[in-house]
Amino acid sequence: MATQAAPLFDATTHAGRWIADYCARATAGDVLCGTDDPAWAAMFEELASVASDDLDHVRERVRRHAADIGMGFRIIGEADERPWPVSPVPLLIDAREWAQIARGVVQRAELMETVIADLYGPGRLVERGLIPAALVTGSPLFLRPMIGLEPPGGKHLHFIAIDLGRGPTGEWRVLADHLRAPAGAGYALENRLAVSRTLGGLQGRINVQRHAPFFAAFRAGIAAMCRRTDPRIGLLTPGRFNPSYPEQAHLARYLGLLLVEGADLAALENQLYVRTIGGLKRVDALWRRVDPRMLDPLAFDSHSQIGVPGLIDAYAAGNVVLSNAPGAGVLEAPAFGAFLPQLATRLLGESLYLPNIATWWCGQPSERARVEEDLDRLLIGSAFGPVPLGLPGGRTVHGGDLDAGARAALLADMTRRPQDYVGQEIVRLSTMPVVIEDALVPRPFTLRVFAARDASGGWTVLPGGFARIGEDTDPRASVLGEGTWSADVCIHGGDAVEPVSLLPAPDSHHVRRNPGTLPSRVADNFYWLGRYLERGEALLAAIRVMLGNSIDADAGAALSPATVGKLVGLIAGGGSAPHPLSLKRGDLTAFARTAMEDEAWHSVATINRLARGIGEGSRDRLSADMVRLLEAPFPTHRGMLDRAGSLQRRYVAIAGLSAEHMGRTAAWRFHDLGRRVERAMAMTRALRLFGMPGATADDLSTLLDLADSQISYRQRYMTGLARVPVVDLVALDPGNPRSLAYQAERINERLRDLPVLSDDGMPEPQQAHGRSLAAALAMTTAAALEPDGLGDIERRLAQLSESVARRYFLQGAEPLRAGGLTLA
């Protein structure tokens, strides 16, 4: 009897070889090589089953999943986002070890809450000398206007992040606290999604604890502090240029929060409202990601352009919860790390379960003397965040790395302003495996963990967080910075994990078809996204026709100079390029290149940039495919027509996504309304140039090209071009999706479906303008259509657009007290 052949690929064998090769190169203290936890072998077997013997393949696969999720980040000063760098190898932590970490995180959160409540309340800790007064009053993170204000719900801290470092012997220590606007929870969630899609069997194999219960508890915790039983909760973002905006958009979508900017909100009579297309709607809580000093220009920084005037008054009245409370970030200052161990002993009666890295604040003479004496063995950094003059390059430095000049400058500034500096011990970090060039290599890492209050007011800790992995092999925390890669952190154990999700149960009886509140700013963005996309498509059509891309075989590339001159006027009149010197081919090509690519003009590239900016700011409402098309780079084909054709196909793909994949929500209605208004304006201009009495055959053919109606005309009329039939098709045929009449019908449909403020049945101004436009078109004929009539239609379109903006895109203080605006 023949024996069965052994399989050609064995995941266990490959996993064992990877681990053995890796540990042969790793140093002491590596998390993989210093443990006998079988979960690591199981994880690498899962990797092998996906990657076979190609680790680079699995790295690219997890990156692709990350890109599909929409993960990204921006470096301050850069215009474009970078892809989020996630590693396919997660950090594994046993549930028993994690329980000790979570215990330390909860203890630290309770301690910081106690200290913050005292600093903004009775001030006994300063009075008793446990905290130096200069440490508080000298900190730019201490907000005096918050003194004496009782936070709604009674708690200052609701969500915190803590950076931990693991030493070579396995001990965990706190490197930094994040209390003002803790970032990264969304990246932890996204890392988990990307890795779980890549290593689908790992969850059940090693019982990885889930993230969903933590986020559900946090959402319930914020809701419990609000005064209404069904509160409206927003995530306050600084906007799309914030480095972690993609993370914020992902969190808002996952948690079902309203993603808002400061301009979306208004404070009125000690209540906070969001400006929506249905009027002002009450907001009960904000999970803020805005620096607290920027929150309210009346209370803090008067130059803030992203805050909400009067927000702190609403907060002081107890009508809006802010997570975290403004001013809570005072304990973020590295200088406070020198006092937390003693405060834990005095206030909690116990030592810190997760000790700080040893810190000395130079604002005290004895501590300053110690720092100066041990300068070569310490890290020197800012005590409060703003960079002192004595730190070269504006960053934490290792005293032993300073040359004589830098050392003298540092010591001189420490003499002038010692309170601006801290000295900290150098922490050696453990390493973990990361895939680099198809090989596992050890790199140092830190761990960011998160804790949040639940509905009962207690603390819950996210089981995991995310690891930041350094690019350099140097294990000192000082050189890690922000890291080059991130990794999922999997907490595993022997007990099976209940499958919990924030998604509703399949048999849930609660069905909701209302997509929720639409802020005015978002409606404005979707309206102008539609207009920009339609404007770009119309400009491309004009450029292609001008360069001879007519599908009319008779016209070909030989349009008459008069018709070409009109096309040039159409393009130049829109501000897309200056008039060419002549109508020669070379000058027209240069003219077309400017209209396509020169962002000093209102070119296609400029229009694309404007549309891309709106897409970046609407991640929570657009599909990943739509965002990807909007962010696609400008084509680099050699020929102008090839570039124009590539862009045209991209516009068509975006139009198809919006037509067939966007839900018929209010956001889509504004997007389509913008398209219809812009298309109607473009057709009006084209008709006035190419469809009036005296139009030549080239003019009429060009008009059909611009209206994308050549085929429709040929199907109806076999005898050639005639002005009246062409004008009727492009202007008045309600069955032609490019005609003026068709746009007017769609405009009125969209306006009919948008909310109104009155219940008397009378049309609002925007509806009246829409009906007037449709009536004007219905009362004319193709033979009677003349330039003045087309000019009147264009004015009506402009009035309609203005009335839509005044009604729905609420801006400034004027609409706050306008009659009829709902306050709900």
Side-chain angles (χ1 to χ4, degrees):
M1 180 176 178
T3 59
Q4 186 175 359
L8 296 178
F9 174 80
D10 181 69
T12 302
T13 300
H14 275 73
R17 178 168 58 81
W18 284 339
I19 293 173
D21 291 345
Y22 173 81
C23 289
R25 299 188 303 273
T27 58
D30 187 89
V31 292
L32 169 59
C33 305
T35 181
D36 56 0
D37 188 348
W40 283 98
M43 185 273 294
F44 278 109
E45 288 174 11
E46 288 292 325
L47 269 178
S49 66
V50 174
S52 296
D53 199 22
D54 186 358
L55 282 169
D56 192 58
H57 167 71
V58 76
R59 180 182 64 176
E60 290 304 317
R61 184 166 176 174
V62 75
R63 285 182 176 180
R64 185 168 63 252
H65 286 310
D68 289 342
I69 296 168
M71 295 165 66
F73 71 106
R74 177 182 279 108
I75 298 294
I76 295 176
E78 294 184 356
D80 296 327
E81 290 180 359
R82 297 185 180 186
W84 180 247
V86 56
S87 168
V89 181
L91 173 65
L92 305 185
I93 301 177
D94 182 84
R96 290 166 295 183
E97 180 181 8
W98 181 255
Q100 298 304 312
I101 294 174
R103 180 186 178 211
V105 170
V106 170
Q107 180 204 43
R108 193 174 187 85
E110 291 288 0
L111 173 63
M112 291 189 292
E113 174 67 41
T114 301
V115 174
I116 293 169
D118 180 80
L119 293 180
Y120 289 101
R124 296 190 181 94
L125 296 176
V126 172
E127 180 184 353
R128 297 172 183 172
L130 296 177
I131 297 176
L135 184 65
V136 180
T137 58
S139 172
L141 302 177
F142 182 71
L143 302 182
R144 288 178 175 81
M146 304 307 296
I147 295 175
L149 294 186
E150 180 70 19
K155 303 295 183 182
H156 294 81
L157 294 177
H158 314 117
F159 191 95
I160 67 170
I162 298 174
D163 288 340
L164 302 177
R166 184 183 186 273
T169 59
E171 76 283 0
W172 292 93
R173 307 184 74 177
V174 175
L175 304 178
D177 300 299
H178 302 278
L179 310 177
R180 282 179 293 174
Y187 291 131
L189 177 63
E190 292 168 332
N191 281 353
R192 173 60 54 85
L193 292 172
V195 171
S196 62
R197 291 179 183 180
T198 306
L199 308 178
L202 187 62
Q203 166 73 45
R205 189 167 181 177
I206 63 174
N207 298 321
V208 177
Q209 294 185 21
R210 296 175 180 267
H211 288 350
F214 169 82
F215 288 103
F218 170 57
R219 186 173 61 184
I222 292 184
M225 286 181 279
C226 298
R227 290 182 171 178
R228 294 198 296 178
T229 56
D230 187 18
R232 182 176 288 114
I233 304 173
L235 192 156
L236 178 60
T237 173
R240 66 183 181 89
F241 292 111
N242 185 264
S244 63
Y245 177 80
E247 178 219 8
Q248 297 163 23
H250 183 73
L251 278 173
R253 183 162 44 199
Y254 181 71
L255 290 170
L257 306 182
L258 190 63
L259 187 65
V260 293
E261 298 180 17
D264 296 329
L265 303 172
L268 180 65
E269 297 176 354
N270 292 339
Q271 297 281 3
L272 184 67
Y273 299 94
V274 58
R275 309 169 195 259
T276 80
I277 61 171
L280 299 177
K281 304 293 184 181
R282 181 174 168 182
V283 174
D284 301 278
L286 290 176
W287 185 16
R288 59 173 186 81
R289 297 293 291 270
V290 173
D291 186 282
R293 287 190 173 274
M294 300 291 106
L295 278 176
D296 185 344
L298 299 181
F300 305 125
D301 190 339
S302 61
H303 297 94
S304 173
Q305 299 294 314
I306 61 174
V308 185
L311 174 60
I312 297 304
D313 289 337
Y315 175 83
N319 293 325
V320 60
V321 175
L322 295 178
S323 176
N324 288 329
V330 65
L331 294 193
E332 276 192 14
F336 258 101
F339 298 90
L340 286 178
Q342 179 186 5
L343 289 170
T345 303
R346 295 292 296 269
L347 299 178
L348 304 180
E350 56 190 9
S351 300
L352 290 172
Y353 301 140
L354 290 173
N356 287 45
I357 55 173
T359 303
W360 295 271
W361 179 47
C362 295
Q364 297 172 297
S366 59
E367 279 71 12
R368 172 191 160 198
R370 177 169 181 173
V371 169
E372 292 178 346
E373 180 181 351
D374 294 339
L375 190 66
D376 292 341
R377 295 187 293 274
L378 295 176
L379 300 174
I380 309 301
S382 168
F384 300 109
V387 180
L389 295 177
L391 289 180
R395 59 186 294 271
T396 299
V397 298
H398 180 205
D401 293 339
L402 298 174
D403 58 30
R407 182 187 183 93
L410 172 62
L411 291 174
D413 197 55
M414 286 178 64
T415 299
R416 287 191 297 269
R417 292 188 58 85
Q419 70 273 18
D420 291 344
Y421 293 89
V422 292
Q424 294 180 314
E425 67 172 322
I426 295 174
V427 177
R428 300 270 170 179
L429 298 173
S430 293
T431 56
M432 68 172 288
V434 64
V435 178
I436 299 178
E437 297 180 354
D438 199 30
L440 291 173
V441 296
R443 288 291 185 266
F445 71 92
T446 61
L447 171 62
R448 179 165 292 188
V449 298
F450 303 89
R453 291 195 186 276
D454 58 21
S456 66
W459 287 99
T460 181
V461 179
L462 177 69
F466 75 92
R468 296 187 299 177
I469 306 169
E471 181 178 14
D472 199 285
T473 56
D474 191 330
R476 293 176 299 173
S478 62
V479 301
L480 183 59
E482 289 300 313
T484 301
W485 298 276
S486 73
D488 186 23
V489 180
C490 296
I491 311 304
H492 67 92
D495 298 331
V497 178
E498 182 180 356
V500 179
S501 172
L502 286 188
L503 298 176
D507 59 349
S508 172
H509 293 289
H510 180 70
V511 177
R512 179 175 181 175
R513 292 181 178 173
N514 180 1
T517 303
L518 182 67
S520 295
R521 174 186 54 85
V522 179
D524 194 352
N525 283 343
F526 270 79
Y527 176 78
W528 277 100
L529 178 61
R531 292 199 63 172
Y532 286 140
L533 292 172
E534 199 66 34
R535 187 174 298 177
E537 189 173 348
L539 177 56
L540 276 175
I543 292 171
R544 295 178 74 189
V545 174
M546 183 187 70
L547 293 179
N549 197 43
S550 172
I551 63 173
D552 182 358
D554 296 329
L559 293 174
S560 68
T563 300
V564 173
K566 292 178 182 179
L567 280 167
V568 168
L570 179 65
I571 295 170
S576 301
H579 280 275
L581 297 176
S582 72
L583 298 183
K584 295 180 180 179
R585 187 73 178 182
D587 289 337
L588 287 180
T589 301
F591 173 71
R593 182 175 293 108
T594 299
M596 283 271 291
E597 301 173 355
D598 192 340
E599 292 199 37
W601 296 84
H602 197 63
S603 63
V604 176
T606 299
I607 294 170
N608 282 3
R609 174 174 52 79
L610 294 171
R612 183 174 65 249
I614 293 176
E616 290 176 353
S618 306
R619 287 177 176 271
D620 58 322
R621 295 176 183 269
L622 292 175
S623 69
D625 287 335
M626 178 79 86
V627 173
R628 193 174 294 113
L629 284 171
L630 290 171
E631 294 181 348
F634 204 83
T636 57
H637 302 80
R638 178 172 298 179
M640 288 293 299
L641 284 175
D642 288 339
R643 288 201 290 278
S646 176
L647 283 168
Q648 194 81 15
R649 289 186 291 274
R650 189 184 302 173
Y651 279 120
V652 170
I654 293 174
L657 282 175
S658 63
E660 298 298 330
H661 294 269
M662 287 182 68
R664 277 9 185 199
T665 62
W668 174 83
R669 293 188 184 99
F670 279 102
H671 176 72
D672 195 64
L673 181 62
R675 281 187 175 275
R676 303 303 171 185
V677 169
E678 188 67 33
R679 185 177 295 180
M681 287 183 169
M683 287 300 99
T684 301
R685 298 182 190 114
L687 280 161
R688 193 158 48 184
L689 282 173
F690 302 103
M692 294 297 94
T696 66
D698 280 353
D699 289 342
L700 297 176
S701 180
T702 296
L703 177 58
L704 289 173
D705 279 336
L706 294 177
D708 196 19
S709 299
Q710 284 275 11
I711 294 175
S712 297
Y713 185 87
R714 299 304 186 197
Q715 287 177 336
R716 299 184 189 185
Y717 306 101
M718 306 299 294
T719 58
L721 295 174
R723 188 186 75 87
V724 171
V726 169
V727 171
D728 182 78
L729 177 64
V730 174
L732 304 177
D733 189 337
N736 180 10
R738 293 280 170 172
S739 74
L740 280 177
Y742 186 90
Q743 312 317 314
E745 287 186 9
R746 301 292 85 73
I747 287 170
N748 278 291
E749 287 178 3
R750 304 298 165 258
L751 293 175
R752 182 194 63 205
D753 294 336
L754 290 174
V756 294
L757 295 177
S758 61
D759 56 3
D760 57 10
M762 299 299 294
E764 291 187 343
Q766 72 278 1
Q767 294 173 321
H769 285 305
R771 295 177 186 180
S772 173
L773 171 66
L777 289 170
M779 294 294 291
T780 191
T781 64
L785 202 59
E786 39 78 33
D788 288 345
L790 289 169
D792 180 66
I793 289 173
E794 191 168 2
R795 285 190 294 274
R796 290 175 187 270
L797 286 166
Q799 291 172 348
L800 185 148
S801 183
E802 177 65 23
S803 64
V804 167
R806 289 184 62 84
R807 164 58 185 86
Y808 294 110
F809 309 152
L810 305 179
Q811 300 292 331
E814 178 185 353
L816 295 184
R817 299 183 184 277
L821 287 181
T822 305
L823 303 179

